[in-house]
Amino acid sequence: GESVGLHLPTLSVQEGDNSIINCAYSNSASDYFIWYKQESGKGPQFIIDIRSNMDKRQGQRVTVLLNKTVKHLSLQIAATQPGDSAVYFCAESAGGTSYGKLTFGQGTILTVHP
Amino acid sequence: DAGVTQSPTHLIKTRGQHVTLRCSPISGHKSVSWYQQVLGQGPQFIFQYYEKEERGRGNFPDRFSARQFPNYSSELNVNALLLGDSALYLCASSWVLDGSQTQYFGPGTRLLVL
């Protein structure tokens, strides 16, 4: 679950398209997952979360899908807008005795073209 | 309502010096966590505090220390600064000590060590 490397995956879409950002996690004990959006020079901003007893959760224009079998998480953004351009991180927590330690993924750079 | 606040926003230090970073959690939140984010990577967990006690620690040297005050604000101290300590230091707060509680991040303190 450690993020490594300086070259983040990138996703480039046109305004109005749907975007899908993927994340693989490694800790099978993780039971809580969060997606954060981070704009340049700012701290991560909470988007949506999901607990391991669910496989799908929807918010406003966003949907998170969790596949525990293959340890995969995805974030779907509907009708992507230029303001959605940012770096997106998934984070996982094992809960319980992990005391809320979040382990972040590598991050994906989303660029939305008008 | 005010979110998580951090001070200072930017800081420049030289090798060997020490630094103190400050964080005020969202009103009512009792847990504070600290993360280090190196350029191009996801945040890495440093500490979590709850009710003034350290409840979790990441893989960081003893040069890093922190504390939480009765009003739930927190300080992160780094001694004997190294060039590699240059990073964005993020504070996150959550309501209680629980791995499944959403953590909300502040804007961070950008530290540059020369």
Side-chain angles (χ1 to χ4, degrees):
Chain A
E2 300 283 343
S3 62
V4 295
L6 296 177
H7 302 287
L8 301 179
T10 59
L11 176 65
S12 185
V13 301
Q14 291 295 127
E15 181 177 3
D17 287 352
N18 296 331
S19 302
I20 300 176
I21 301 171
N22 297 302
C23 176
Y25 65 94
S26 57
N27 186 355
S28 57
S30 292
D31 59 4
Y32 179 60
F33 305 87
I34 312 175
W35 280 100
Y36 287 96
K37 169 188 179 183
Q38 188 172 27
E39 297 174 282
S40 181
K42 297 183 179 181
Q45 174 188 353
F46 171 81
I47 302 173
I48 191 168
D49 60 2
I50 188 167
R51 288 169 172 74
S52 59
N53 61 350
M54 304 172 68
D55 53 21
K56 180 179 180 179
R57 190 167 188 219
Q58 289 184 292
Q60 186 176 10
R61 282 202 308 119
V62 294
T63 300
V64 56
L65 299 177
L66 174 63
N67 185 330
K68 294 182 289 293
T69 302
V70 296
K71 296 201 280 290
H72 183 268
L73 195 66
S74 69
L75 176 70
Q76 300 178 1
I77 305 174
T80 316
Q81 303 167 0
D84 295 327
S85 295
V87 180
Y88 288 80
F89 291 99
C90 65
E92 59 183 291
S93 172
T97 57
S98 78
Y99 299 115
K101 169 188 174 182
L102 292 177
T103 300
F104 281 78
Q106 184 178 13
T108 296
I109 300 173
L110 174 65
T111 303
V112 183
H113 300 283
Chain B
D1 286 342
V4 177
T5 59
Q6 293 186 244
S7 63
T9 56
H10 296 82
L11 204 51
I12 299 175
K13 291 286 188 179
T14 56
R15 281 177 297 175
Q17 287 188 311
H18 72 272
V19 67
T20 298
L21 310 180
R22 295 177 175 83
C23 170
S24 293
I26 292 171
S27 177
H29 284 194
K30 299 182 178 180
S31 179
V32 169
S33 297
W34 288 94
Y35 292 80
Q36 180 195 65
Q37 186 176 25
V38 174
L39 190 64
Q41 297 185 19
Q44 301 256 344
F45 174 77
I46 310 175
F47 286 112
Q48 182 173 43
Y49 275 76
Y50 178 71
E51 295 286 11
K52 297 172 287 180
E53 291 186 9
E54 180 184 309
R55 299 301 185 101
R57 185 184 184 110
N59 188 24
F60 281 82
D62 292 342
R63 299 185 295 109
F64 289 76
S65 63
R67 54 180 177 167
Q68 186 177 32
F69 300 99
N71 66 353
Y72 304 112
S73 67
S74 178
E75 283 182 355
L76 175 69
N77 295 284
V78 187
N79 293 324
L81 285 167
L82 303 174
L83 296 180
D85 294 332
S86 296
L88 179 68
Y89 288 86
L90 295 162
C91 173
S93 76
S94 60
W95 179 254
V96 292
L97 180 67
D98 185 321
S100 63
Q101 287 292 319
T102 302
Q103 294 188 32
Y104 295 92
F105 284 83
T109 293
R110 188 161 296 282
L111 172 65
L112 177 61
V113 182
L114 301 176

